[in-house]
Amino acid sequence: EPIQRGRNRPDDGGRGTGEQRAQEQRSAFFQALRRGLPRMAPEQRALVENTAGEILVPEDLETEINRALPDLTIMRGIASQRSVTTNRVRRRSLAEVAVGWGKLETNEQDLTDSMPGTPTDEYTYIEDLYGLAKVGEDELDDSDVNIEAFIRDSFARACAEAEDTGFTVGTGHAAFQPVGFMTAGGGVPTVAAAGATAITTDDLKKLIYATPAQYRRNGRFAIPSGTELAISLLKDGNNQYIWQPNAQAGRPNSLFGYAVENQEDMAVIAASARVAAFGDFNAGYRIYDRQGMTVKVLTELYSEDGMIGWKIRKRVGGDVVRPQALRILTMKAA
């Protein structure tokens, strides 16, 4: 992909320190949002324009937006994250690494090659997440500080909602989406519930113990609020509720000592539905961020309404990287 202008240039053209240049980029960015790139002076335009004619969000502002995401999402707070510079990431088609005791040079052991005889290329793709914001022409008269606050809050919230949906139930690259951990494409093993319309304590314990011990240590549940309500009414043999609400603000509730995260895109309890997940999400799922959030100004499309459109583009992907670290509870067929 072509190198983007206005970012990571080795020579600042005598403009001064990196801090001064960052301020110039920020100033040019807000001018571009108000006026559009065609109306800007060439030297200012070069600070924020990429080869596709889009406005590059300044790196420090993009970092602030990304920093807000874990507070607004479930998956950003529990999955692993990695920054990439390519459109796709190759996933190794390997079994777990084989290890053994003894010196190799004295033939005390044999190591088994974990590479399959005919390796296949498997990729996680970085997808395009688009959004549209309509801003009143009067609002553009506000200070840069006000517009920055609007961008930081609105962009982060919109991206957070879309990302959480994609990381949970996204159907993969064929649909231009991440691979959701709850979908069949994620390859996460399933555990069958005993019934079709109700979860039991036995179902939940089977879900926990179907997960390998090394992943139970950092395990947590992911369930929608309606399912959590149904679980919160379950009692043990002593007629005590097994669900433990957390009295501390900002901390998740717990179930059998494991944290419970609410993910509202998951299916509700119904026959054959995938209704809950458990495991080590940090080990099992990875989010890939490709830096370079951009905006395109749509000056004419909404002009009759006194509005200017901002089309936002963010590059992000997600995939199950270690299916064995997670388990999904599926309800019995009707």
Side-chain angles (χ1 to χ4, degrees):
E1 185 167 312
I3 296 174
Q4 296 173 339
R5 288 189 293 157
R7 188 171 287 204
N8 297 328
R9 291 186 359 184
D11 181 10
D12 68 1
R15 294 179 184 275
T17 66
E19 183 177 347
Q20 290 174 321
R21 180 169 178 77
Q23 185 58 44
E24 289 177 353
Q25 287 179 324
R26 213 176 179 96
S27 176
F29 171 71
F30 291 118
Q31 284 193 47
L33 290 183
R34 289 186 171 95
R35 302 166 58 190
L37 289 169
R39 300 178 184 177
M40 296 177 64
E43 60 274 14
Q44 288 184 312
R45 182 170 174 171
L47 289 171
V48 292
E49 183 184 19
N50 68 5
T51 55
E54 298 169 324
I55 304 167
L56 287 164
V57 177
E59 290 184 24
D60 53 350
L61 180 54
E62 182 180 345
T63 299
E64 291 172 17
I65 293 170
N66 287 334
R67 189 179 295 130
L69 291 176
D71 295 330
L72 301 171
T73 70
I74 298 301
M75 292 303 294
R76 285 276 181 181
I78 62 178
S80 60
Q81 299 174 58
R82 175 180 164 190
S83 295
V84 297
T85 58
T86 59
N87 289 329
R88 62 182 184 176
V89 178
R90 188 179 185 278
R91 291 189 285 117
R92 296 179 303 165
S93 54
L94 302 179
E96 290 297 315
V97 176
V99 297
W101 299 102
K103 296 181 181 297
L104 289 175
E105 60 267 27
T106 55
N107 296 320
E108 294 172 3
Q109 65 156 301
D110 294 321
L111 284 181
T112 302
D113 187 0
S114 60
M115 176 67 75
T118 307
T120 58
D121 287 338
E122 298 177 355
Y123 292 94
T124 295
Y125 290 86
I126 310 304
E127 308 295 348
D128 292 321
L129 178 62
Y130 280 99
L132 176 64
K134 298 178 184 178
V135 184
E137 292 175 345
D138 291 340
E139 291 181 88
L140 293 179
D141 293 333
D142 288 346
S143 69
D144 289 353
V145 173
N146 291 342
I147 296 178
E148 178 183 331
F150 169 79
I151 291 171
R152 188 170 55 242
D153 181 64
S154 300
F155 285 23
R157 289 186 181 278
C159 290
E161 292 177 6
E163 284 186 358
D164 247 18
T165 299
F167 300 150
T168 304
V169 295
T171 54
H173 183 60
F176 312 108
Q177 298 175 3
V179 176
F181 69 89
M182 289 297 290
T183 61
V188 176
T190 60
V191 175
T197 59
I199 293 177
T200 67
T201 54
D202 289 349
D203 293 333
L204 296 171
K205 286 189 175 182
K206 284 194 299 182
L207 184 64
I208 293 172
Y209 284 96
T211 308
Q214 64 266 39
Y215 301 118
R216 290 202 300 268
R217 296 188 186 100
N218 295 314
R220 62 182 62 229
F221 287 95
I223 53 177
S225 297
T227 302
E228 182 181 52
L229 174 61
I231 291 172
S232 71
L233 301 177
L234 296 176
K235 296 181 179 180
D236 61 19
N238 297 320
N239 205 36
Q240 299 293 317
Y241 289 109
I242 63 169
W243 182 76
Q244 301 165 12
N246 199 311
Q248 186 174 348
R251 298 292 298 273
N253 298 321
S254 62
L255 182 62
F256 297 121
Y258 295 102
V260 176
E261 306 285 355
N262 289 140
Q263 217 308 322
E264 306 304 342
D265 295 294
M266 296 170 64
V268 298
I269 298 175
S272 302
R274 295 173 171 236
V275 297
F278 176 83
D280 186 343
F281 287 86
N282 186 69
Y285 197 88
R286 180 168 296 158
I287 297 168
Y288 298 93
D289 287 304
R290 183 174 181 184
Q291 289 200 347
M293 185 182 291
T294 60
V295 181
K296 193 165 187 176
V297 180
L298 309 175
T299 55
E300 305 296 334
L301 191 57
Y302 308 105
S303 58
E304 292 184 0
D305 300 323
M307 309 284 283
I308 291 179
W310 292 343
K311 187 172 72 172
I312 308 111
R313 181 186 183 218
K314 188 174 188 289
R315 310 296 306 281
V316 62
D319 205 346
V320 177
V321 293
R322 196 170 283 110
Q324 65 270 29
L326 304 170
R327 291 295 185 275
I328 292 173
L329 182 67
T330 60
M331 303 305 295
K332 187 177 179 180

